[in-house]
């Protein structure tokens, strides 16, 4: 496998070798995941994009679509520590971050406070049904997601790298839930929609899960490799027109003077500055996964829906007309022209 380099772009031999290792690792990971997960190739790609960029993602789907199994399988394939937190109305922040307890020294009998880490101290954290717990507990994830650390009783504890949070939501049961604040939703790089399988794929799942299964995964890359890949992604060049296109696509989603009529009609608030950042960062990782050492317009367009759909706040008019965020993103992609110059 050879990574393609655009003319005029300089690179080090180490970066080129690492890019080729990322591409091989991506192919190997997908092969291993396919041993247990049937179909859902697009979902798997977005999960791997989250890993290669160091982002956190929100996974939305009805029960029984293997959301937990997918994230657990990814952690197993990469030999990373996995932790699942079931969010419930009575879950407390300390149940996530950990707490200090009084510990007695058997030798001296002296008592002292000792910190007991919570389930957040893992490499891959699955926050299951995150909208079923009150905002105070939801907020306990914010510092961990953004800063990769937690603070308990004024003491800061660093989380081990690599560190990712994947949160799930059930879109059909809204009773007894606490909608995530926009500030927290915005911290998720992608909103990944997981849907039903095709008939043939569902038959394959039913047959596989009702027979004996013994899966052994070949671990092609490690957690240290993932950290190296994240650093490499940020060194991938992006031409100015590509960055401008990501910004223009996001700015067009914000109602105001000069915005398209459908935006004024359907949107209360558009996407934040994190949107073009994630479009470009995700585009760089996508390019490497496809064997390219540069990000193009096609990468930005391919990630527009998972990056923008949860950041666009629809108004009552859009909801009453059942206009979905994905439909709005489609209109944005039609409305915003590609820059004439560039790649």
């Amino acid at each position: 496998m050879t990574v393609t380099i655009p003319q005029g772009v300089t690179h080090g031999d180490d970066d080129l070798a690492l890019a080729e290792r990322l591409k091989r690792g991506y192919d190997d990971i997908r092969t291993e995941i396919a041993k247990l997960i049937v179909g859902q190739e697009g979902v798997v790609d977005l999960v791997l994009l989250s890993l290669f960029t160091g982002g956190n993602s929100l996974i939305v789907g009805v029960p029984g679509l293997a959301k937990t199994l997918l994230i657990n399988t990814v952690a197993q394939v990469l030999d990373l520590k996995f932790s699942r937190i079931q969010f419930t109305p009575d879950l407390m922040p300390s149940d996530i971050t950990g707490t200090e307890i009084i510990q007695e020294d058997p030798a001296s009998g002296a008592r002292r406070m000792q910190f007991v880490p919570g389930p957040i101290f893992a490499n891959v954290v699955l926050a299951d049904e995150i909208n079923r717990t009150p905002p105070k507990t939801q907020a306990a994830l914010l510092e961990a997601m953004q800063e990769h650390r937690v603070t308990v009783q004024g003491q800061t504890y660093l989380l081990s790298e690599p560190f990712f949070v994947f949160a799930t939501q059930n879109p059909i049961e809204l009773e007894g839930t606490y909608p995530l604040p926009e500030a927290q939703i915005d911290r998720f790089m992608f909103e990944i929609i997981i849907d039903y399988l095709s008939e043939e794929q569902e038959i394959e799942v039913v047959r596989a899960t009702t027979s004996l299964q013994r899966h052994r995964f070949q671990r092609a890359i490690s957690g240290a490799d993932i950290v190296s890949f994240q650093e490499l992604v940020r060194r991938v060049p992006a031409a100015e027109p590509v960055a401008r296109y990501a910004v223009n696509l996001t700015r067009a989603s914000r109602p105001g003077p000069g915005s398209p009529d459908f935006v004024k009609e359907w949107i209360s608030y558009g996407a934040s500055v994190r949107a073009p950042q994630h479009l470009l960062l995700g585009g760089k990782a996508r390019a490497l996964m496809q064997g390219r050492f540069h990000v193009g317009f096609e990468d930005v367009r391919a990630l527009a829906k998972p990056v923008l759909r949860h950041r666009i706040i629809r108004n009552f008019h859009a909801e009453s007309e059942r206009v979905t965020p994905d439909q709005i993103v489609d209109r944005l992609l039609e409305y915003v022209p590609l820059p004439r110059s560039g790649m």
Side-chain angles (χ1 to χ4, degrees), residues 99-115:
T99 187
E100 289 189 337
I101 62 173
I102 298 176
Q103 190 77 9
E104 183 174 324
D105 190 326
S108 64
R111 295 184 176 184
R112 58 186 178 87
M113 299 297 293
Q114 181 177 347
F115 177 67

Side-chain angles (χ1 to χ4, degrees), residues 2-12 15-16 19 237 288 291-294:
T2 301
V3 176
T4 60
I5 310 293
Q7 291 184 352
V9 174
T10 58
H11 63 89
D15 277 358
L16 182 56
L288 287 172
R292 292 179 282 112
F293 203 75
H294 66 281

Side-chain angles (χ1 to χ4, degrees), residues 6 28 62 103 111 121 126 159 163 191 220 288 311 326:
D28 291 342
V62 298
Q103 190 77 9
R111 295 184 176 184
F121 285 84
L126 179 66
L159 299 170
F163 174 77
E191 180 181 306
L288 287 172
R311 293 183 164 93
D326 282 6

Side-chain angles (χ1 to χ4, degrees), residues 120-134:
I120 197 70
F121 285 84
N123 299 117
V124 179
V125 176
L126 179 66
D128 213 358
E129 294 189 283
I130 189 175
N131 58 333
R132 290 206 171 276
T133 202

